[in-house]
Amino acid sequence: MSILIEQPVEARLVAAAPRMPSIPATLHYDRRDPFAVRMTFPAPATLEGVEVCWTFSRELLSAGLHGPEGHGDVRVRPYGYDRTVLEFHAPEGTAVVHVRSGELRSFLAATGELVPVGLEHLQLDLDHDLAELMRDAC
C-alpha cells in the first residue's frame, strides 16, 4: 500500500489584475506525517523563483471547506459554491489563492482512505522517535 499521495491542483492567484492567473500547485500527504498536508508551488510560480512549500494540518484544510479556519500563517475558507480560498501569510507578504473545492474534497477523501481521520496516532512510532532523540542526545 502506498504511503504517499500527491495530487496536482489548479490554483488561481488573487492579484490586483482583473484576471486571476492560474498557477500549478501540488497537494502532498504522507502517512508517516499523518496530521500534515503540504502544498507546493513550483519555482516559476513564485516571486522568489524558488519552489515554495507550505505545511499545515489536514484538519485545517477539511474544516476550511465549511467555514473560515486558521489564525496563523495558513488560513482557509469557502468562497462561493465551488471554490476555497487559501491564504499564506509570511513576513514578505500574503499570497491568496483560490482552489476548486472539489479538488480539495477528492484529495481529502484519498488521504482518509490512506489514514482514516481520528486514527492518525496509529501511524506514529513514538518509541522509535524517542530512541532517535535519545541517540542524538548522547
Side-chain angles (χ1 to χ4, degrees):
M1 176 179 243
S2 175
I3 64 166
L4 181 68
I5 296 171
E6 291 187 342
Q7 178 178 320
V9 294
E10 179 183 303
R12 294 213 174 258
L13 182 63
V14 177
R19 187 179 184 288
M20 294 186 292
S22 178
I23 57 174
T26 304
L27 290 166
H28 308 266
Y29 181 79
D30 186 334
R31 76 182 205 188
R32 294 172 295 189
D33 190 4
F35 293 101
V37 167
R38 290 183 300 125
M39 189 168 196
T40 305
F41 299 93
T46 69
L47 294 175
E48 297 82 16
V50 296
E51 182 178 272
V52 173
C53 183
W54 287 85
T55 302
F56 48 97
S57 78
R58 174 170 69 163
E59 181 180 13
L60 172 68
L61 184 60
S62 179
L65 288 169
H66 307 289
E69 291 292 332
H71 301 284
D73 295 343
V74 180
R75 300 171 191 176
V76 184
R77 69 179 184 277
Y79 183 77
Y81 174 73
D82 65 342
R83 295 274 179 189
T84 299
V85 174
L86 290 94
E87 294 180 16
F88 301 99
H89 297 260
E92 301 80 19
T94 301
V96 179
V97 297
H98 288 192
V99 179
R100 287 186 187 100
S101 300
E103 290 182 316
L104 298 177
R105 284 188 195 95
S106 172
F107 173 75
L108 288 167
T111 69
E113 288 178 18
L114 187 61
V115 177
V117 173
L119 299 180
E120 295 91 349
H121 66 283
L122 297 177
Q123 302 300 315
L124 303 176
D125 187 351
L126 296 179
D127 291 333
H128 176 266
D129 293 343
L130 183 58
E132 286 293 311
L133 285 172
M134 297 303 287
R135 182 179 59 84
D136 291 342
C138 295

